[in-house]
Amino acid sequence: MSPLSDPKQREAYLYVAPAALMVGVFLILPMLYTTMLAFTDWNGMTAPTFIGFANFFKLVTDTNFTRPFVNTLKWMVLGVVLPVGLGFFFAYAISGLRGAKLMQICIYIPATISASAAGIVFGFVLRDQGALNILLDAIGLGALKVNWLYVQPYNTYAMIGAYTWQATGINVMIFLVGLQNLPKEPVEAATLDGAGGFVLATRIIIPMLMPYVVIASLLAVINSFKVFDTIWVMTGGGPARMSETLAVTMYKEGFANFKMGYASAVAVVISALSLVFSYLYLRNMLARENQV
């Protein structure tokens, strides 16, 4: 019997249909259209011209792609390790403490601020005559002053720092939920056996929190590939495009240089990298989880 012949099945499909339609119209169709444009030469005004894989061949030798590609890899690694690692550290440190609710609020507040606003705040602190350099002068450490936003690789690390400040709060909440749902018996047994601190966290708690680690890390991987506003506000990808990521390159090539086909090829590469790294990470983490 066909599923549509059952009234309950038809009703279920009707509930799902609006969401499926929105996904198809606003996600799948643009993705297919962008993939198609990646094989064309198009300036956004005249008709697209099919050029095959020329845009992708150009990516291999284009210095305006190589540097952003390396920076994107830095973002992917540090944008996962720092927010997720600090998120677990803070969650583990404040879990069960008196006043933990207030600490949670303080840690989570940066997550409520837009990325652009966070970039403006950190730009004010880290610019050449910003608050950090003024402080270094005031305490006699003027020799350590750096133009943090215009010297490579300091500018990339400074922006990753701003991103980490904002993203850590979300991960704290994810891990706090995980810690609250952990079974108490294994933790109590390990404590009675003398495990504590670092050993308890790495050998007992983190393995049991693996589903939450997977969720937090996967979200961080995806966000690190598409980060744009923080970079655009703080450095605009400069100086000389040295702090660009692939997302910024895609924007500049498409909307500043009017190379829509080339920008679409960059978008396809971003999507492919995101899917590959997400798949490899999930496969690795789920395999570890099954061994626990």
Side-chain angles (χ1 to χ4, degrees):
M1 185 172 60
S2 172
L4 293 179
S5 63
D6 186 348
K8 291 185 178 180
Q9 288 288 341
R10 289 199 299 271
E11 183 180 356
Y13 281 118
L14 286 175
Y15 282 117
V16 174
L21 181 62
M22 292 187 67
V23 169
V25 171
F26 295 106
L27 179 64
I28 296 178
L29 286 180
M31 182 177 66
L32 294 175
Y33 184 61
T34 300
T35 303
M36 181 191 72
L37 288 179
F39 297 93
T40 67
D41 180 17
W42 186 42
N43 60 11
M45 293 175 284
T46 60
T49 303
F50 181 77
I51 58 174
F53 289 91
N55 285 326
F56 294 96
F57 292 143
K58 181 182 176 182
L59 289 176
V60 179
T61 57
D62 190 356
T63 56
N64 289 332
F65 175 81
T66 305
R67 172 57 64 179
F69 180 79
V70 173
N71 288 336
T72 300
L73 294 182
K74 290 180 182 178
W75 272 91
M76 188 199 68
V77 175
L78 296 178
V80 173
V81 173
L82 293 178
V84 175
L86 289 174
F88 172 76
F89 172 79
F90 285 125
Y92 185 60
I94 68 177
S95 180
L97 290 180
R98 182 178 299 177
K101 293 293 183 183
L102 178 60
M103 296 179 190
Q104 292 175 27
I105 293 172
C106 293
I107 295 172
Y108 187 75
I109 283 176
T112 65
I113 302 172
S114 70
S116 298
I120 291 172
V121 171
F122 272 80
F124 172 77
V125 173
L126 297 172
R127 62 187 181 184
D128 189 27
Q129 298 299 323
L132 179 57
N133 282 342
I134 292 174
L135 176 62
L136 291 174
D137 266 336
I139 61 177
L141 296 176
L144 299 179
K145 288 171 55 178
V146 175
N147 196 343
W148 304 98
L149 298 181
Y150 291 95
V151 177
Q152 182 71 335
Y154 296 115
N155 46 16
T156 295
Y157 297 142
M159 292 184 291
I160 292 174
Y163 169 80
T164 300
W165 175 76
Q166 189 182 29
T168 298
I170 297 291
N171 295 309
V172 169
M173 296 304 165
I174 291 174
F175 287 121
L176 281 173
V177 172
L179 289 170
Q180 291 170 2
N181 292 326
L182 285 182
K184 296 181 180 180
E185 292 79 8
V187 178
E188 292 175 351
T191 304
L192 290 174
D193 288 339
F198 181 78
V199 174
L200 180 64
T202 55
R203 299 293 181 87
I204 305 297
I205 293 178
I206 291 180
M208 291 194 296
L209 280 178
M210 198 55 65
Y212 299 91
V213 174
V214 170
I215 293 171
S217 300
L218 187 58
L219 290 174
V221 168
I222 295 172
N223 288 333
S224 66
F225 276 107
K226 65 184 184 69
V227 64
F228 171 81
D229 32 16
T230 300
I231 300 171
W232 190 254
V233 168
M234 292 183 70
T235 68
R241 308 186 71 167
M242 294 298 288
S243 63
E244 281 187 20
T245 60
L246 292 179
V248 178
T249 300
M250 177 184 64
Y251 174 83
K252 284 187 174 181
E253 294 294 342
F255 297 101
N257 299 333
F258 298 101
K259 298 177 181 178
M260 295 295 184
Y262 188 69
S264 298
V266 176
V268 170
V269 171
I270 295 174
S271 300
L273 288 173
S274 178
L275 287 173
V276 169
F277 280 106
S278 298
Y279 169 75
L280 293 175
Y281 175 79
L282 277 175
R283 188 179 68 175
N284 183 47
M285 295 302 291
L286 291 176
R288 290 186 181 183
E289 184 180 352
N290 292 331
Q291 295 174 0
V292 175

